[in-house]
């Protein structure tokens, strides 16, 4: 009894001593004092036969090139843990370090030959091969286990990952597609794995291999909708929206139960990515199916939305194009009716009528009709009020506009719409030359959760702070704000003259880059695109390090691509954004358009 009591008393001390030895051993190993670490780990392993201490001691022996001691240690461990096949990998590695390749291969083969039905054992062996860089042996491990269990769908994800690391993309696709044939419900997991691979792998051979494998499967199985869906998914990942739409139409034609859903999905994704021509083509395809089609309403609304976004840039809209789309809006509203479901159509038509057609009365009537809808959701109500406020400001009704902005800011104080209202009120104060109050509000908005609101607030705040005169007056900024308001109200020639006057008053001023940007916008709205491009070119040349530089490069890129049809210049501008402005909001769009133009050449 006394001995037992003494043992129980000493047990905590023994545990503490062991922990202390382990900490010291780890310290020595980290500091590459292998001889000291070896001594401690030998004692710890002799006492416990612990797998962790084995691994640490093995590392120490290898680091000291004590290969004979490492062999004895591994052989001893093999007798203690007969089911641990990873030990064969340790032994094989020792042989390789001593130049004994045949012995190493024999060890690796012995390990693989012992593979059976134990999934943990298979996984541990494959992981050991992977960790030591023997990916081909890891593949062989999984394939052997698959053969032994007579299950050709085991370890698909593991094998696909190994093939990817080896650059064997054809085998990788084979694994995924065989699984898809067997288990259609695995499509989501397969897409996630491929998406990760496409994002992490810069080698274009992966995308080419995937496209080739899909095309081959489609040729062999033209009636298999899974492969068509996979091709659509892949094209969307590659931003190849036209081909994705072609495949979606094929699904609709071949598989009647789809009902055009794939076409609608591709059109919507294309629209969200600024590929309006593809989106419009997709919507029109569905509209032509007739009013009785289930997706007619969505397609009709979607088509006009995409056309609105395509037209509503800084470019001039010809009277012919404007007249046609306004007529199409009126026809659509007569066909579909005025309701919360068509509120977007009404708001977009109001925008075109006011800012491009000059019909403020009809535009405001449409917006008031939306606001007065009894079933309108709060978000749409507040967004429409903001648009009505913009229209009132455009018409010169500054205080009425401010009242609407304040209503929305109060009603939506905790969301993005409220932040937009606050930004618009701050901009209105800027137009009224109340720069101090405007800047205070803008500085609060720079912390907005909305990236676009925060970016716009930062730009206007910097415009104010950077252009305060040395005597704390705002003489030049007041002139600029007045010209800016003329531009906002569509009085283009007056605005041009006002901006021109600013540059004549001084040989140089920090506001000159802003003046060049606004003059470029005026020329774009007037349809004088070559002149606009020249002004933007001056801006990036003279102010390439200023805040407006990436905006100017993006405007030049889109202007040359869409209006001047100068693809080479557009690609150069997109490339400039990608390389020189990596933190710009435009980087992703620039990268996508650059890739599209490069593939099209």
């Amino acid at each position: 009894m006394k001995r037992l009591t003494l043992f129980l008393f000493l047990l905590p001390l023994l545990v503490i001593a062991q922990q202390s030895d382990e900490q010291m051993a780890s310290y020595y190993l980290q500091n590459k004092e292998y001889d000291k670490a070896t001594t401690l780990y030998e004692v710890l392993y002799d006492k416990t036969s612990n797998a962790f201490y084995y691994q640490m001691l093995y590392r120490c022996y290898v680091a000291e090139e004590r290969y004979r001691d490492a062999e004895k240690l591994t052989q001893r461990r093999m007798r203690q843990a007969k089911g641990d096949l990873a030990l064969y990998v340790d032994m094989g590695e020792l042989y390789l370090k001593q130049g004994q390749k045949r012995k190493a291969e024999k060890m690796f083969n012995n390990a693989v030959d012992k593979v059976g039905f134990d999934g943990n054992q298979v996984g541990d062996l494959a992981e050991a091969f992977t960790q030591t860089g023997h990916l081909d042996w890891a593949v062989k491990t999984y394939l052997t286990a698959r053969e032994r269990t007579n299950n050709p769908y085991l370890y698909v994800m593991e094998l696909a990952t190994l093939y990817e690391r080896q650059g064997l993309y054809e085998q990788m696709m084979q694994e995924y597609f065989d699984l898809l044939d067997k288990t259609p419900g695995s499509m989501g997991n397969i897409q996630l794995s491929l998406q990760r691979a496409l994002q992490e792998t810069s080698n274009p051979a992966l995308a080419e291999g995937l496209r080739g494998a899909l095309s081959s499967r489609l040729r062999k199985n033209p009636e298999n909708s899974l492969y068509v869906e996979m091709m659509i998914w892949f094209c969307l990942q590659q931003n190849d929206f036209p081909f994705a739409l072609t495949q979606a139409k094929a699904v609709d034609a071949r598989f009647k139960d789809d009902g055009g859903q794939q076409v609608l999905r591709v059109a919507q994704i294309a629209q969200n990515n600024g590929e309006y021509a593809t989106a419009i083509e997709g919507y029109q395809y569905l509209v032509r199916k007739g009013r009785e089609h289930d997706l007619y309403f969505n397609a009709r609304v979607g088509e006009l939305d995409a056309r609105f976004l395509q037209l509503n840039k800084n470019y001039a809209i010809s009277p012919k194009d404007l007249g046609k789309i306004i007529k199409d809006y009126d026809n659509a509203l007569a066909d579909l009716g005025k309701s919360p479901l068509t509120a977007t159509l009404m708001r977009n038509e109001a925008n075109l009528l006011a800012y491009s057609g000059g019909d403020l009365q009809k535009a405001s009537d449409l917006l008031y009709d939306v606001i007065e809808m009894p079933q309108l959701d709060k978000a749409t109500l507040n967004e429409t009020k903001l648009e009505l406020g913009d229209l009132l400001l455009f018409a010169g009704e500054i205080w009425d506009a401010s009242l609407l902005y304040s209503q929305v800011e109060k009603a939506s104080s905790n969301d993005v719409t409220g932040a937009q209202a606050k930004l618009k009120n701050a901009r209105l104060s800027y137009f009224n030359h109340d720069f101090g109050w405007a800047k205070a509000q803008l500085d609060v908005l720079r912390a907005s959760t909305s990236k676009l609101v925060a970016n716009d607030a930062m730009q206007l705040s910097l415009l104010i702070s950077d252009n305060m005169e040395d005597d704390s007056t705002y003489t030049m900024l007041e002139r600029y704000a007045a010209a800016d308001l003329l531009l906002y109200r569509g009085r283009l020639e007056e605005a041009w003259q006002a901006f021109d006057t600013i540059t004549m008053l001084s040989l140089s001023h920090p506001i000159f880059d802003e003046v060049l940007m606004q003059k470029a916008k005026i020329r774009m709205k007037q349809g004088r695109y070559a002149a606009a491009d020249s002004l933007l070119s001056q801006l990036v040349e003279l102010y390439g390090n200023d805040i407006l530089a990436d905006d100017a490069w993006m405007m030049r890129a889109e202007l040359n691509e869409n209006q001047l049809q100068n693809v080479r210049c557009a690609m150069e501008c997109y490339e400039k954004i990608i390389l020189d402005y990596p933190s710009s909001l435009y980087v992703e769009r620039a990268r996508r358009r650059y890739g599209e133009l490069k593939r099209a050449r």
Side-chain angles (χ1 to χ4, degrees):
M1 188 66 180
K2 289 181 180 179
R3 290 179 180 177
L4 177 61
T5 303
L6 180 62
F7 174 75
L8 293 174
F9 175 76
L10 293 175
L11 182 60
L13 298 177
L14 294 172
V15 171
I16 291 171
Q18 181 173 315
Q19 289 177 340
S20 178
D21 285 347
E22 181 179 342
Q23 290 169 351
M24 288 302 299
S26 177
Y27 171 80
Y28 288 137
L29 182 60
Q30 289 176 7
N31 287 276
K32 299 183 179 181
E33 297 182 57
Y34 299 117
D35 54 338
K36 296 177 181 178
T38 297
T39 301
L40 288 171
Y41 279 127
E42 283 176 340
V43 173
L44 289 167
Y45 184 65
D46 285 342
K47 285 182 179 179
T48 65
S49 296
N50 182 286
F52 174 76
Y53 295 144
Y54 157 73
Q55 292 169 0
M56 296 302 99
L57 183 55
Y58 177 89
R59 281 178 57 185
C60 290
Y61 283 147
V62 171
E64 294 182 283
E65 297 185 0
R66 292 170 58 179
Y67 299 130
R68 184 58 188 157
D69 288 331
E71 281 184 49
K72 290 179 180 178
L73 173 68
T74 306
Q75 289 167 350
R76 174 183 169 188
R77 185 67 190 168
M78 284 176 166
R79 291 191 294 272
Q80 293 171 330
K82 295 183 179 180
D84 188 355
L85 301 184
L87 295 168
Y88 288 83
V89 180
D90 288 347
M91 188 67 80
E93 277 292 289
L94 290 172
Y95 288 139
L96 285 176
K97 290 181 183 299
Q98 298 173 80
Q100 301 178 49
K101 187 176 179 181
R102 287 187 179 179
K103 283 189 175 183
E105 289 184 355
K106 183 178 180 180
M107 275 293 161
F108 295 158
N109 267 316
N110 286 344
V112 174
D113 286 344
K114 294 179 184 297
V115 164
F117 294 86
D118 186 338
N120 290 330
Q121 186 185 60
V122 172
D124 289 345
L125 177 58
E127 180 63 19
F129 278 130
T130 302
Q131 289 293 331
T132 51
H134 302 297
L135 301 184
D136 50 343
W137 283 100
V139 168
K140 192 172 182 180
T141 299
Y142 286 127
L143 292 177
T144 300
R146 181 184 279 183
E147 183 181 344
R148 298 265 166 85
T149 56
N150 198 29
N151 185 346
Y153 302 104
L154 269 181
Y155 306 114
V156 167
M157 295 300 179
E158 292 86 346
L159 281 164
T161 300
L162 287 168
Y163 287 139
E164 179 193 341
R165 290 182 59 178
Q166 292 175 292
L168 301 174
Y169 300 124
E170 184 177 344
Q171 289 93 320
M172 169 187 167
M173 303 308 170
Q174 187 75 26
E175 290 294 327
Y176 283 135
F177 294 156
D178 284 350
L179 177 63
L180 186 62
D181 286 339
K182 174 69 175 178
T183 315
S186 63
M187 179 181 286
N189 289 332
I190 291 171
Q191 288 176 346
L192 284 173
S193 297
L194 288 172
Q195 185 179 48
R196 175 200 53 77
L198 288 166
Q199 290 173 346
E200 295 178 358
T201 305
S202 58
N203 189 347
L206 173 57
E208 292 167 7
L210 178 50
R211 185 187 291 272
L214 277 170
S215 298
S216 175
R217 292 267 174 158
L218 273 171
R219 283 194 298 271
K220 295 175 182 176
N221 306 279
E223 300 305 315
N224 190 327
S225 63
L226 293 174
Y227 288 114
V228 184
E229 286 184 41
M230 281 294 295
M231 180 62 87
I232 293 171
W233 172 85
F234 170 71
C235 292
L236 292 175
Q237 295 297 308
Q238 297 297 107
N239 297 312
D240 189 351
F241 298 105
F243 193 66
L245 182 60
T246 299
Q247 295 298 315
K249 288 178 182 178
V251 169
D252 182 57
R254 202 175 299 155
F255 309 103
K256 298 302 180 184
D257 57 339
D258 176 75
Q261 289 291 341
Q262 290 283 10
V263 174
L264 180 66
R265 185 170 73 92
V266 170
Q268 290 171 336
I269 294 173
Q271 179 178 321
N272 291 336
N273 284 273
E275 299 292 331
Y276 302 121
T278 301
I280 291 167
E281 182 184 344
Y283 291 132
Q284 288 177 340
Y285 171 86
L286 295 173
V287 168
R288 286 194 294 270
K289 289 179 173 291
R291 206 177 191 287
E292 301 305 315
H293 192 271
D294 289 343
L295 300 179
Y296 176 81
F297 185 96
N298 304 70
R300 193 81 188 273
V301 173
E303 180 199 348
L304 283 169
D305 281 350
R307 287 172 62 191
F308 170 79
L309 292 169
Q310 188 180 49
L311 282 173
N312 198 33
K313 287 180 174 284
N314 285 314
Y315 308 131
I317 303 176
S318 70
K320 180 180 177 182
D321 288 340
L322 180 64
K324 184 178 186 311
I325 195 169
I326 292 297
K327 182 179 179 181
D328 289 342
Y329 270 112
D330 289 338
N331 290 338
L333 289 171
D335 180 21
L336 305 175
K338 292 182 179 180
S339 72
L341 295 175
T342 56
T344 301
L345 296 184
M346 298 168 70
R347 291 162 57 190
N348 289 349
E349 183 179 6
N351 182 295
L352 291 169
L353 284 166
Y355 303 117
S356 299
D359 193 341
L360 299 183
Q361 186 60 56
K362 185 178 177 182
S364 61
D365 288 345
L366 281 167
L367 293 180
Y368 277 117
D369 285 346
V370 174
I371 289 170
E372 292 168 2
M373 288 177 180
Q375 303 298 322
L376 193 67
D377 63 274
K378 179 184 174 182
T380 304
L381 173 64
N382 287 323
E383 289 167 5
T384 308
K385 282 186 174 182
L386 289 184
E387 290 169 3
L388 182 58
D390 292 344
L391 190 151
L392 292 172
L393 178 58
F394 182 81
E397 303 292 337
I398 292 176
W399 300 115
D400 289 338
S402 181
L403 180 62
L404 277 170
Y405 294 153
S406 298
Q407 286 179 9
V408 175
E409 185 180 345
K410 184 177 180 181
S412 306
S413 57
N414 296 318
D415 61 27
V416 174
T417 307
Q420 290 172 333
K422 193 180 188 75
L423 176 62
K424 288 176 182 292
N425 245 334
R427 185 187 59 176
L428 195 149
S429 295
Y430 150 77
F431 284 145
N432 280 332
H433 302 173
D434 190 355
F435 300 121
W437 191 90
K439 186 177 185 306
Q441 302 305 304
L442 292 165
D443 288 343
V444 172
L445 286 168
R446 289 173 69 170
S448 171
T449 53
S450 166
K451 205 168 184 180
L452 289 174
V453 170
N455 189 58
D456 289 345
M458 180 184 68
Q459 289 201 13
L460 187 51
S461 175
L462 290 175
L463 170 68
I464 294 170
S465 60
D466 289 352
N467 293 290
M468 180 187 287
E469 309 294 346
D470 292 337
D471 59 355
S472 298
T473 62
Y474 295 92
T475 305
M476 197 70 86
L477 187 58
E478 287 175 354
R479 288 180 174 273
Y480 179 89
D484 207 6
L485 180 58
L486 288 170
L487 172 56
Y488 177 81
R489 296 185 60 196
R491 294 159 64 174
L492 301 183
E493 280 305 324
E494 292 177 66
W496 178 271
Q497 293 299 326
F499 283 123
D500 229 15
T501 300
I502 293 172
T503 57
M504 294 177 186
L505 291 174
S506 175
L507 293 175
S508 64
H509 193 278
I511 210 166
F512 282 1
D513 60 333
E514 304 280 351
V515 171
L516 280 170
M517 173 62 78
Q518 300 304 70
K519 290 174 79 172
K521 289 179 180 178
I522 291 171
R523 289 302 185 232
M524 289 174 72
K525 287 179 179 292
Q526 293 173 326
R528 298 170 63 177
Y529 300 123
D533 186 55
S534 177
L535 289 162
L536 292 170
S537 180
Q538 291 178 49
L539 196 160
V540 295
E541 182 177 348
L542 298 173
Y543 307 100
N545 296 320
D546 286 359
I547 193 169
L548 290 178
D550 61 330
D551 298 88
W553 280 113
M554 194 66 190
M555 288 173 67
R556 278 202 75 201
E558 293 185 334
L559 185 62
N560 278 276
E561 180 184 355
N562 300 320
Q563 302 299 324
L564 299 175
Q565 280 76 51
N566 189 339
V567 174
R568 181 185 60 79
C569 183
M571 290 182 67
E572 290 173 357
C573 294
Y574 287 132
E575 187 175 29
K576 188 74 175 178
I577 295 169
I578 296 166
L579 297 177
D580 292 358
Y581 303 90
S583 60
S584 170
L585 292 173
Y586 304 117
V587 166
E588 287 306 314
R589 198 195 322 170
R591 185 175 287 115
R592 185 173 70 248
R593 292 308 310 147
Y594 180 84
E596 286 293 309
L597 293 176
K598 187 175 182 180
R599 282 193 292 271
R601 295 189 74 177

PDB file of all heavy atoms in Angstrom, residues 222-236:
ATOM      1  N   PRO A 222     -24.020  12.545 -77.323  1.00  0.00           N
ATOM      2  CA  PRO A 222     -24.729  13.803 -77.626  1.00  0.00           C
ATOM      3  C   PRO A 222     -26.053  13.962 -76.884  1.00  0.00           C
ATOM      4  O   PRO A 222     -26.543  15.074 -76.751  1.00  0.00           O
ATOM      5  CB  PRO A 222     -24.948  13.727 -79.144  1.00  0.00           C
ATOM      6  CG  PRO A 222     -24.890  12.268 -79.461  1.00  0.00           C
ATOM      7  CD  PRO A 222     -23.910  11.674 -78.504  1.00  0.00           C
ATOM      8  N   GLU A 223     -26.618  12.873 -76.407  1.00  0.00           N
ATOM      9  CA  GLU A 223     -27.902  12.951 -75.705  1.00  0.00           C
ATOM     10  C   GLU A 223     -27.743  13.030 -74.182  1.00  0.00           C
ATOM     11  O   GLU A 223     -28.737  12.998 -73.461  1.00  0.00           O
ATOM     12  CB  GLU A 223     -28.763  11.721 -76.067  1.00  0.00           C
ATOM     13  CG  GLU A 223     -29.064  11.589 -77.548  1.00  0.00           C
ATOM     14  CD  GLU A 223     -29.707  12.849 -78.129  1.00  0.00           C
ATOM     15  OE1 GLU A 223     -30.630  13.393 -77.469  1.00  0.00           O
ATOM     16  OE2 GLU A 223     -29.286  13.289 -79.206  1.00  0.00           O
ATOM     17  N   ASN A 224     -26.513  13.103 -73.711  1.00  0.00           N
ATOM     18  CA  ASN A 224     -26.268  13.179 -72.275  1.00  0.00           C
ATOM     19  C   ASN A 224     -26.282  14.647 -71.843  1.00  0.00           C
ATOM     20  O   ASN A 224     -25.337  15.390 -72.079  1.00  0.00           O
ATOM     21  CB  ASN A 224     -24.924  12.531 -71.928  1.00  0.00           C
ATOM     22  CG  ASN A 224     -24.728  12.372 -70.427  1.00  0.00           C
ATOM     23  OD1 ASN A 224     -25.203  13.188 -69.643  1.00  0.00           O
ATOM     24  ND2 ASN A 224     -24.024  11.322 -70.031  1.00  0.00           N
ATOM     25  N   SER A 225     -27.362  15.043 -71.179  1.00  0.00           N
ATOM     26  CA  SER A 225     -27.515  16.455 -70.796  1.00  0.00           C
ATOM     27  C   SER A 225     -26.472  16.890 -69.771  1.00  0.00           C
ATOM     28  O   SER A 225     -26.146  18.077 -69.670  1.00  0.00           O
ATOM     29  CB  SER A 225     -28.913  16.696 -70.233  1.00  0.00           C
ATOM     30  OG  SER A 225     -29.117  15.938 -69.052  1.00  0.00           O
ATOM     31  N   LEU A 226     -25.933  15.936 -68.998  1.00  0.00           N
ATOM     32  CA  LEU A 226     -24.940  16.278 -67.979  1.00  0.00           C
ATOM     33  C   LEU A 226     -23.703  16.919 -68.608  1.00  0.00           C
ATOM     34  O   LEU A 226     -23.155  17.890 -68.078  1.00  0.00           O
ATOM     35  CB  LEU A 226     -24.536  15.034 -67.193  1.00  0.00           C
ATOM     36  CG  LEU A 226     -25.606  14.398 -66.303  1.00  0.00           C
ATOM     37  CD1 LEU A 226     -25.085  13.103 -65.710  1.00  0.00           C
ATOM     38  CD2 LEU A 226     -26.029  15.363 -65.202  1.00  0.00           C
ATOM     39  N   TYR A 227     -23.282  16.372 -69.744  1.00  0.00           N
ATOM     40  CA  TYR A 227     -22.078  16.904 -70.378  1.00  0.00           C
ATOM     41  C   TYR A 227     -22.331  18.249 -71.035  1.00  0.00           C
ATOM     42  O   TYR A 227     -21.439  19.099 -71.087  1.00  0.00           O
ATOM     43  CB  TYR A 227     -21.502  15.883 -71.368  1.00  0.00           C
ATOM     44  CG  TYR A 227     -20.875  14.717 -70.659  1.00  0.00           C
ATOM     45  CD1 TYR A 227     -21.418  13.440 -70.754  1.00  0.00           C
ATOM     46  CD2 TYR A 227     -19.770  14.901 -69.843  1.00  0.00           C
ATOM     47  CE1 TYR A 227     -20.863  12.375 -70.061  1.00  0.00           C
ATOM     48  CE2 TYR A 227     -19.209  13.844 -69.151  1.00  0.00           C
ATOM     49  CZ  TYR A 227     -19.755  12.587 -69.256  1.00  0.00           C
ATOM     50  OH  TYR A 227     -19.207  11.546 -68.554  1.00  0.00           O
ATOM     51  N   VAL A 228     -23.552  18.455 -71.523  1.00  0.00           N
ATOM     52  CA  VAL A 228     -23.876  19.779 -72.072  1.00  0.00           C
ATOM     53  C   VAL A 228     -23.877  20.804 -70.938  1.00  0.00           C
ATOM     54  O   VAL A 228     -23.349  21.909 -71.082  1.00  0.00           O
ATOM     55  CB  VAL A 228     -25.246  19.767 -72.784  1.00  0.00           C
ATOM     56  CG1 VAL A 228     -25.504  21.119 -73.437  1.00  0.00           C
ATOM     57  CG2 VAL A 228     -25.303  18.666 -73.821  1.00  0.00           C
ATOM     58  N   GLU A 229     -24.445  20.428 -69.808  1.00  0.00           N
ATOM     59  CA  GLU A 229     -24.449  21.338 -68.654  1.00  0.00           C
ATOM     60  C   GLU A 229     -23.026  21.629 -68.184  1.00  0.00           C
ATOM     61  O   GLU A 229     -22.708  22.764 -67.813  1.00  0.00           O
ATOM     62  CB  GLU A 229     -25.253  20.721 -67.506  1.00  0.00           C
ATOM     63  CG  GLU A 229     -26.764  20.733 -67.721  1.00  0.00           C
ATOM     64  CD  GLU A 229     -27.524  20.190 -66.522  1.00  0.00           C
ATOM     65  OE1 GLU A 229     -27.130  20.528 -65.383  1.00  0.00           O
ATOM     66  OE2 GLU A 229     -28.484  19.434 -66.724  1.00  0.00           O
ATOM     67  N   MET A 230     -22.185  20.603 -68.196  1.00  0.00           N
ATOM     68  CA  MET A 230     -20.790  20.811 -67.804  1.00  0.00           C
ATOM     69  C   MET A 230     -20.078  21.735 -68.780  1.00  0.00           C
ATOM     70  O   MET A 230     -19.276  22.580 -68.372  1.00  0.00           O
ATOM     71  CB  MET A 230     -20.055  19.470 -67.734  1.00  0.00           C
ATOM     72  CG  MET A 230     -20.316  18.659 -66.476  1.00  0.00           C
ATOM     73  SD  MET A 230     -19.678  19.427 -64.970  1.00  0.00           S
ATOM     74  CE  MET A 230     -17.917  19.382 -65.269  1.00  0.00           C
ATOM     75  N   MET A 231     -20.391  21.602 -70.074  1.00  0.00           N
ATOM     76  CA  MET A 231     -19.765  22.483 -71.063  1.00  0.00           C
ATOM     77  C   MET A 231     -20.221  23.926 -70.858  1.00  0.00           C
ATOM     78  O   MET A 231     -19.416  24.869 -70.950  1.00  0.00           O
ATOM     79  CB  MET A 231     -20.092  22.005 -72.482  1.00  0.00           C
ATOM     80  CG  MET A 231     -19.473  22.877 -73.576  1.00  0.00           C
ATOM     81  SD  MET A 231     -17.643  22.910 -73.530  1.00  0.00           S
ATOM     82  CE  MET A 231     -17.270  21.456 -74.524  1.00  0.00           C
ATOM     83  N   ILE A 232     -21.508  24.106 -70.573  1.00  0.00           N
ATOM     84  CA  ILE A 232     -22.009  25.458 -70.299  1.00  0.00           C
ATOM     85  C   ILE A 232     -21.297  26.035 -69.080  1.00  0.00           C
ATOM     86  O   ILE A 232     -20.833  27.184 -69.086  1.00  0.00           O
ATOM     87  CB  ILE A 232     -23.534  25.431 -70.072  1.00  0.00           C
ATOM     88  CG1 ILE A 232     -24.253  25.064 -71.374  1.00  0.00           C
ATOM     89  CG2 ILE A 232     -24.033  26.781 -69.557  1.00  0.00           C
ATOM     90  CD1 ILE A 232     -25.738  24.801 -71.187  1.00  0.00           C
ATOM     91  N   TRP A 233     -21.217  25.229 -68.024  1.00  0.00           N
ATOM     92  CA  TRP A 233     -20.536  25.677 -66.804  1.00  0.00           C
ATOM     93  C   TRP A 233     -19.090  26.067 -67.092  1.00  0.00           C
ATOM     94  O   TRP A 233     -18.615  27.122 -66.633  1.00  0.00           O
ATOM     95  CB  TRP A 233     -20.584  24.551 -65.770  1.00  0.00           C
ATOM     96  CG  TRP A 233     -19.751  24.838 -64.558  1.00  0.00           C
ATOM     97  CD1 TRP A 233     -20.117  25.553 -63.452  1.00  0.00           C
ATOM     98  CD2 TRP A 233     -18.394  24.438 -64.343  1.00  0.00           C
ATOM     99  NE1 TRP A 233     -19.078  25.610 -62.567  1.00  0.00           N
ATOM    100  CE2 TRP A 233     -18.004  24.935 -63.078  1.00  0.00           C
ATOM    101  CE3 TRP A 233     -17.475  23.696 -65.080  1.00  0.00           C
ATOM    102  CZ2 TRP A 233     -16.732  24.719 -62.558  1.00  0.00           C
ATOM    103  CZ3 TRP A 233     -16.216  23.487 -64.563  1.00  0.00           C
ATOM    104  CH2 TRP A 233     -15.848  23.997 -63.313  1.00  0.00           C
ATOM    105  N   PHE A 234     -18.399  25.233 -67.861  1.00  0.00           N
ATOM    106  CA  PHE A 234     -17.000  25.519 -68.174  1.00  0.00           C
ATOM    107  C   PHE A 234     -16.867  26.821 -68.962  1.00  0.00           C
ATOM    108  O   PHE A 234     -15.999  27.650 -68.681  1.00  0.00           O
ATOM    109  CB  PHE A 234     -16.395  24.363 -68.967  1.00  0.00           C
ATOM    110  CG  PHE A 234     -15.038  24.665 -69.546  1.00  0.00           C
ATOM    111  CD1 PHE A 234     -13.931  24.777 -68.722  1.00  0.00           C
ATOM    112  CD2 PHE A 234     -14.880  24.859 -70.912  1.00  0.00           C
ATOM    113  CE1 PHE A 234     -12.678  25.073 -69.249  1.00  0.00           C
ATOM    114  CE2 PHE A 234     -13.639  25.156 -71.444  1.00  0.00           C
ATOM    115  CZ  PHE A 234     -12.535  25.256 -70.610  1.00  0.00           C
ATOM    116  N   CYS A 235     -17.727  27.011 -69.958  1.00  0.00           N
ATOM    117  CA  CYS A 235     -17.665  28.237 -70.770  1.00  0.00           C
ATOM    118  C   CYS A 235     -17.907  29.478 -69.915  1.00  0.00           C
ATOM    119  O   CYS A 235     -17.272  30.519 -70.120  1.00  0.00           O
ATOM    120  CB  CYS A 235     -18.690  28.174 -71.901  1.00  0.00           C
ATOM    121  SG  CYS A 235     -18.321  26.932 -73.150  1.00  0.00           S
ATOM    122  N   LEU A 236     -18.800  29.372 -68.954  1.00  0.00           N
ATOM    123  CA  LEU A 236     -19.047  30.503 -68.058  1.00  0.00           C
ATOM    124  C   LEU A 236     -17.830  30.764 -67.177  1.00  0.00           C
ATOM    125  O   LEU A 236     -17.495  31.927 -66.900  1.00  0.00           O
ATOM    126  CB  LEU A 236     -20.280  30.228 -67.189  1.00  0.00           C
ATOM    127  CG  LEU A 236     -21.622  30.182 -67.936  1.00  0.00           C
ATOM    128  CD1 LEU A 236     -22.747  29.781 -66.995  1.00  0.00           C
ATOM    129  CD2 LEU A 236     -21.939  31.530 -68.586  1.00  0.00           C
TER     130      LEU A 236
END
